[in-house]
Amino acid sequence: MEIGSVTAGPGVPVCAARLAAHVSEYESDIERILITEAEIQARLAELGAQITEDYAGRDPLLVGVLKGAFMLMADLSRHIHLPLEFDFMAVSSYGSATRTSGVVRILKDLDHEIQGRDVLLVEDIIDSGLTLNYLLKNLRSRKPGTLEVCALLHKTEMQRVPLDIRYTGFEIPPEFVIGYGLDYAERFRNLPYVATLKREAYAAG
Ligand code: IMP
Ligand code: MG
């Protein structure tokens, strides 16, 4: 495949080549693509433009919540035309593979002080909202100048605590989804789209 070209070989679109190379072992587990790669990228361009406008003249600190937000951080930040700084937290929620309990353990804390900073927390998905609620309380106690949230996905019907989400990519139905950073049992994070899994995939996991 030529770097920068639009084809991966004679008549093979880049997208198809990528799926063949990275995803073939997963494809049989996918039930339905909910949000395509093109839809995600188009929405991130819009969100990036909005964030660039809202934070004009400031130098925000993007805080990604690992592991799910790694892909969103990389793609979204390329649409934010500001002097950005990055930090990451890794958290693990106690609960089953597909449900959170709201009890969050910090596995990796921020490297930087955030007092007085314009912090934008970047999350993959808000389900019950319990993880985010915990994180916001934790970060607020460190006295950031501002603290806002950008989440790629929001299962509005599932939310159990009131939250103020400044930037949302997509509102989705209350189904378990994978891809674009999101996992089931640590798999499927590298898919460039958001999809649901077949029942058999859960049974196998
Ligand atoms: P919450 O605390 O219920 O809002 O859950 C948030 C966390 O649970 C996310 O950061 C994800 O790691 C995980 N999660 C929630 N829903 C899904 C899903 O549909 N697919 C994959 N992970 C999910
Ligand atoms: Mg997870």
Side-chain angles (χ1 to χ4, degrees):
M1 180 163 101
E2 269 181 59
I3 308 289
S5 77
V6 285
T7 57
V12 183
V14 167
C15 177
R18 186 171 330 152
L19 290 184
H22 293 265
V23 176
S24 59
E25 67 185 284
Y26 295 151
E27 273 179 327
S28 60
D29 286 331
I30 303 302
E31 181 190 59
R32 189 163 51 92
I33 294 180
L34 235 64
I35 310 169
T36 65
E37 181 174 11
E39 287 168 337
I40 293 173
Q41 295 305 329
R43 184 70 184 121
L44 295 189
E46 288 176 0
L47 287 176
Q50 187 64 57
I51 291 167
T52 303
E53 197 181 308
D54 293 351
Y55 287 86
R58 293 187 277 167
D59 53 348
L61 176 69
L62 238 54
V63 171
V65 184
L66 296 172
K67 302 174 199 165
F70 76 96
M71 211 173 273
L72 176 60
M73 282 286 269
D75 285 347
L76 175 67
S77 63
R78 277 176 278 192
H79 290 292
I80 301 175
H81 303 293
L82 294 170
L84 280 185
E85 288 176 36
F86 294 81
D87 209 338
F88 290 93
M89 286 180 87
V91 299
S92 129
S93 322
Y94 292 103
S96 68
T98 59
R99 281 254 160 80
T100 27
S101 64
V103 182
V104 178
R105 190 158 53 114
I106 295 180
L107 303 175
K108 184 222 166 286
D109 206 344
L110 298 175
D111 294 334
H112 301 99
E113 294 286 326
I114 59 167
Q115 189 169 358
R117 295 297 307 268
D118 291 307
V119 175
L120 180 57
L121 188 66
V122 178
E123 257 278 37
D124 51 0
I125 188 164
I126 299 160
D127 186 5
S128 67
L130 293 172
T131 303
L132 183 63
N133 194 43
Y134 174 91
L135 279 173
L136 287 176
K137 271 192 194 145
N138 182 295
L139 293 177
R140 251 182 235 123
S141 73
R142 307 181 200 194
K143 308 267 182 282
T146 63
L147 178 60
E148 301 290 350
V149 178
C150 177
L152 179 71
L153 306 171
H154 190 180
K155 295 185 199 171
T156 38
E157 288 172 49
M158 298 294 286
Q159 199 177 313
R160 285 165 54 191
V161 281
L163 290 168
D164 184 15
I165 317 295
R166 180 81 174 266
Y167 308 99
T168 304
F170 302 89
E171 292 187 358
I172 61 166
E175 289 180 84
F176 192 81
V177 294
I178 51 84
Y180 202 76
L182 290 155
D183 73 306
Y184 170 66
E186 294 301 330
R187 297 172 69 224
F188 306 106
R189 293 191 198 273
N190 60 324
L191 295 176
Y193 49 74
V194 172
T196 56
L197 288 177
K198 290 177 187 164
R199 271 176 194 281
E200 305 89 90
Y202 297 110

